[in-house]
Amino acid sequence: RLGRNGWACWEAVQDRDLDELGRGLTEYEESASLVLPCHLDHPVLTVNLRGLWQAYAQEYPGATYSGPGGGYVVVASDRAVPGAFQITIRRK
């Protein structure tokens, strides 16, 4: 499932399909939680990583973390995300 999500994200980037990219990012995070159930909900974490991720995933087309236990939040969006820097994908 994680592999399929990765390919779906890559294809969405190539197709410049924001909705599919967002869906793929969100599904990837959900899949990662099945493999690593404590990676967002570990008792030593002092930040509600799951709640933060869900807030981004609900507000924008999709989101995921850059790695287990948090890291950067990667958000698929066609509008500004407060506090974020933007990467634009352009055709050659």
Side-chain angles (χ1 to χ4, degrees), residues 19-31:
D19 292 328
E20 283 300 314
L21 176 59
R23 191 171 3 270
L25 292 175
T26 299
E27 288 179 8
Y28 183 87
E29 193 61 48
E30 291 168 351
S31 298

Side-chain angles (χ1 to χ4, degrees), residues 38-84:
C38 294
H39 87 284
L40 297 182
D41 300 310
H42 196 277
V44 300
L45 294 172
T46 59
V47 176
N48 181 358
L49 294 178
R50 182 172 303 282
L52 181 63
W53 161 68
Q54 287 174 331
Y56 281 110
Q58 290 172 2
E59 178 71 21
Y60 300 96
T64 193
Y65 280 106
S66 62
Y72 295 102
V73 179
V74 178
V75 180
S77 179
D78 59 354
R79 58 190 166 95
V81 177

